[in-house]
Amino acid sequence: MNAQPKMNADTQPLLDVVHARKSFTKGDGGELLVLEDVNLTVRPGEVVGLLGRSGSGKSTLLRLIAGLSKPSGGKVNYLGTPVTGPAEGISMVFQSFALFPWLTVYENVALGLEAMHVARDEIRRRSLAAIDLIGLDGFESAYPRELSGGMRQRVGFARALVVHPNILLMDEPFSALDVLTAETLRTDFLELWSDGRMPIKGVILVTHNIEEAVQMCDRILVFATNPGRIVSEIQVTIPRPRDRNDPAFAGLVEQIYVEMTAKKGRTTTRISPAGGSGIDMILPRVSSNILAGLLETVAAPPFSGRADLPEIASELTLEIDELFPAAETLQMLRFAEIEGGDIHLLPEGIAFADAEVDERKRLFARHLLAYVPLAAHVRRVLDERRTHAAPSSRFLDELEDHMSPEVAEETLRALVSWARYAEIFAYDDETGQFSLENPT
Ligand code: ADP
Ligand code: MG
C-alpha cells in the first residue's frame, strides 16, 4: 500500500541527529540535563515515532531539530548540513492549534508563505491546494472560532504543509482531539501519506500513545525520562493500512508496554544509592483516587489480582501518562508489582481493595511511611519540633539538592496529597506550613 519510494540504506538521510545533548541552566545556576546522547536518522519515505512519557524531552528534541533551540552538545544535520537556526524545509504541527483567531482559514494557511516572500499568485495557488488536500475545501473564509477542534487541527496541518517542507515534525498532533476525531485525522493523514500526495519526504511523530505509534510509524524510538534518551528502537513491519484488531498489532503494542515498564526505563521509583537518606526519590503526581481505583479494578474479576497493562489501559481509558505513574506508585508502595507488561497485586494490595475506608487509610499510611523515605522524613521532623510544624521551604531546599525546583515542587505536592489521604500530617496551602494537626 505504501507508495512512498523504498530507499536503500545508503540514501542520504533527510535528518541526522548525532550525540545530541541538551541541558538548561537551573535557577540556582546548576544544570538540568534534559536530553542525553540522542542519535537518530530519518530517511526519505519514513515515518519515525518518538514515543515517551510526558517530560521525557520529546518536545525539546523537536525544537532542536527545527532549529528553534541549540543543542548543548552533539549536532543536528539536515540534508548533511548543520542546522543553525530555523530550518527552511522543516515544519511543525503542534498539539495546540495555535491559529490566529482574527485570521480566516485561508489567511492562517497563507501566513507561512508570506514570510517566505513567495509571489502573490503562487501563495494563493499553494494555500488553496493545501486547504483542499487536508479536507477543508469550502472553509477558506471561516474563522477558527467557527471550526471544531478537528477542523482547526486540519488548518494546523495545512499551514505546516503549505511551505512544502521536506520534513514534517508533529508534536502530539492528535492528543488534544476527542477519540473519534483523532482517529479520523490519523486515517486521513495516513491515506495522503501512503498515496504520496503530501509535499513532504519524511515525518517525525511525537506521541505518548502506544497504539498511535504502532498505527502510524515505520520505526518507533522509545524514550526514557531523566534524562531523556532513546532506550530502544522498534521496527513496525505490519503492512498498511494497519488494523488494530490484527494479532500482530496487539502483540507489538504489548511488547512496547513491556519495554516501557521494564526496570531499565523506570526512573520515578529510583532508589537512592546505598547510604543515602532516600529522600531524593522523585514522586509522581498520582491521586489517591486513581491508586484506589486501580487496586480495585485489578483485584476484581475478570482480572482477579493480575492484569495486562494494555487491557487495564483500555478498561479504564487511561493514557500511559496516567497509568504508568499509577502502576509504578503501587509498586513503590509495595501494593503491586509490574513485570512483563503485567501488574499483579501483592497480598497487601488485595487487602487494601477488600478493606473499608478507615482500614484503607491505615494501610496506606503504613506503606507510605515504610517505603517513601520523604514521608518518614517529614513526619520525623514534625514529631521532633516542639511546634509540630515546619514550612515547605524546609523540605524544598533539601529536595533541590537532588532535583530541579519544578520537580522538587511536584514531588512535595505528590507527597502532600498522599499524606492527606493517609492522614499522617497536614499541609496548609495558604501558609505553606506542614503540621501534625488533622486537616479539617
Ligand atoms: P515532553 O515533550 O517529552 O513532555 P519536554 O521536552 O517538554 O518533554 O520537557 C522535558 C524536560 O525539560 C521537562 O522537565 C521540562 O521541564 C524541561 N524543559 C523544557 N524546556 C525547558 C526550558 N526552556 N527551560 C528549562 N527546562 C525546560
Ligand atoms: Mg511535549
Side-chain angles (χ1 to χ4, degrees):
M1 278 299 289
N2 191 341
Q4 292 293 317
K6 279 272 171 275
M7 297 290 166
N8 48 29
D10 57 13
T11 311
Q12 184 188 36
L14 290 170
L15 185 83
D16 219 354
V17 177
V18 194
H19 300 308
R21 197 183 122 81
K22 180 73 184 179
S23 58
F24 294 103
T25 308
K26 293 192 285 187
D28 64 0
E31 236 201 354
L32 173 67
L33 183 61
V34 171
L35 292 174
E36 183 179 66
D37 197 23
V38 172
N39 295 284
L40 82 94
T41 300
V42 180
R43 297 201 173 76
E46 275 191 315
V47 180
V48 176
L50 302 181
L51 174 66
R53 306 187 200 188
S54 91
S56 57
K58 305 178 302 292
S59 295
T60 302
L61 179 58
L62 281 196
R63 291 177 56 79
L64 295 185
I65 292 172
L68 301 173
S69 113
K70 284 194 173 63
S72 315
K75 52 186 186 233
V76 175
N77 289 324
Y78 167 60
L79 297 176
T81 311
V83 170
T84 54
E88 258 187 41
I90 302 181
S91 64
M92 180 114 79
V93 181
F94 299 93
Q95 174 185 351
S96 64
F97 319 120
L99 304 179
F100 294 106
W102 60 87
L103 298 181
T104 63
V105 166
Y106 174 83
E107 289 162 340
N108 265 291
V109 173
L111 204 62
L113 288 176
E114 270 154 18
M116 290 168 63
H117 310 291
V118 176
R120 277 241 76 79
D121 50 346
E122 175 76 359
I123 291 180
R124 188 168 173 76
R125 194 184 59 73
R126 272 164 67 173
S127 301
L128 292 176
I131 287 169
D132 192 21
L133 180 73
I134 215 73
L136 284 168
D137 210 6
F139 289 87
E140 292 83 354
S141 52
Y143 286 91
R145 65 169 181 277
E146 302 172 76
L147 304 177
S148 65
M151 293 302 249
R152 279 184 227 166
Q153 188 56 308
R154 284 178 194 267
V155 182
F157 276 101
R159 193 169 59 182
L161 292 172
V162 76
V163 300
H164 294 184
N166 274 315
I167 304 177
L168 185 66
L169 307 177
M170 307 204 283
D171 196 353
E172 313 222 12
F174 309 108
S175 64
L177 305 172
D178 65 80
V179 176
L180 289 179
T181 305
E183 192 56 17
T184 309
L185 246 68
R186 281 187 206 110
T187 314
D188 286 0
F189 181 89
L190 285 171
E191 204 175 297
L192 292 174
W193 171 254
S194 294
D195 293 348
R197 290 174 61 202
M198 282 185 289
I200 50 178
K201 298 205 175 77
V203 177
I204 297 182
L205 170 69
V206 162
T207 179
H208 63 259
N209 183 316
I210 298 177
E211 282 85 359
E212 177 176 299
V214 172
Q215 184 187 6
M216 302 198 60
C217 302
D218 298 301
R219 264 192 302 134
I220 301 170
L221 305 175
V222 179
F223 252 68
T225 314
N226 288 324
R229 62 205 185 277
I230 295 169
V231 287
S232 63
E233 173 172 337
I234 293 154
Q235 303 281 342
V236 189
T237 51
I238 304 167
R240 300 172 190 274
R242 295 175 183 154
D243 174 3
R244 290 184 181 220
N245 299 316
D246 176 352
F249 193 109
L252 198 51
V253 168
E254 169 82 27
Q255 182 196 328
I256 297 173
Y257 265 94
V258 173
E259 296 213 12
M260 291 186 81
T261 52
K263 292 212 161 62
K264 66 176 161 71
R266 203 175 61 236
T267 52
T268 48
T269 52
R270 183 164 48 117
I271 304 297
S272 71
S277 64
I279 68 157
D280 59 344
M281 245 158 64
I282 295 170
L283 305 178
R285 284 288 286 285
V286 182
S287 79
S288 49
N289 279 330
I290 292 208
L291 294 176
L294 185 53
L295 282 169
E296 279 169 23
T297 308
V298 179
F303 303 115
S304 307
R306 174 182 282 277
D308 195 38
L309 285 172
E311 276 176 41
I312 282 284
S314 81
E315 169 89 15
L316 297 177
T317 57
L318 284 178
E319 298 261 14
I320 64 166
D321 271 350
E322 300 167 296
L323 178 62
F324 286 177
E328 286 170 0
T329 301
L330 292 181
Q331 170 157 284
M332 175 176 66
L333 293 170
R334 317 253 172 115
F335 284 123
E337 279 194 346
I338 307 168
E339 216 194 334
D342 285 357
I343 178 169
H344 71 94
L345 301 191
L346 295 170
E348 301 271 77
I350 291 170
F352 181 100
D354 290 343
E356 300 292 335
V357 177
D358 285 348
E359 176 58 14
R360 282 185 172 190
K361 282 175 182 271
R362 271 194 296 277
L363 259 175
F364 198 82
R366 203 166 75 219
H367 284 235
L368 194 54
L369 291 168
Y371 303 120
V372 179
L374 181 61
H377 174 62
V378 172
R379 177 67 199 222
R380 197 160 45 239
V381 168
L382 296 176
D383 279 337
E384 284 167 3
R385 286 196 171 192
R386 199 178 40 80
T387 54
H388 297 311
S392 60
S393 56
R394 158 82 171 70
F395 304 111
L396 281 174
D397 283 349
E398 285 178 275
L399 290 176
E400 285 174 22
D401 290 341
H402 309 284
M403 55 190 85
S404 72
E406 297 78 34
V407 175
E409 179 94 33
E410 284 287 293
T411 290
L412 209 56
R413 291 206 167 277
L415 179 69
V416 163
S417 78
W418 300 342
R420 278 179 178 151
Y421 174 69
E423 298 180 19
I424 55 171
F425 47 78
Y427 178 70
D428 184 330
D429 285 302
E430 262 162 35
T431 59
Q433 288 278 323
F434 284 89
S435 71
L436 285 186
E437 279 163 46
N438 233 6
T440 44

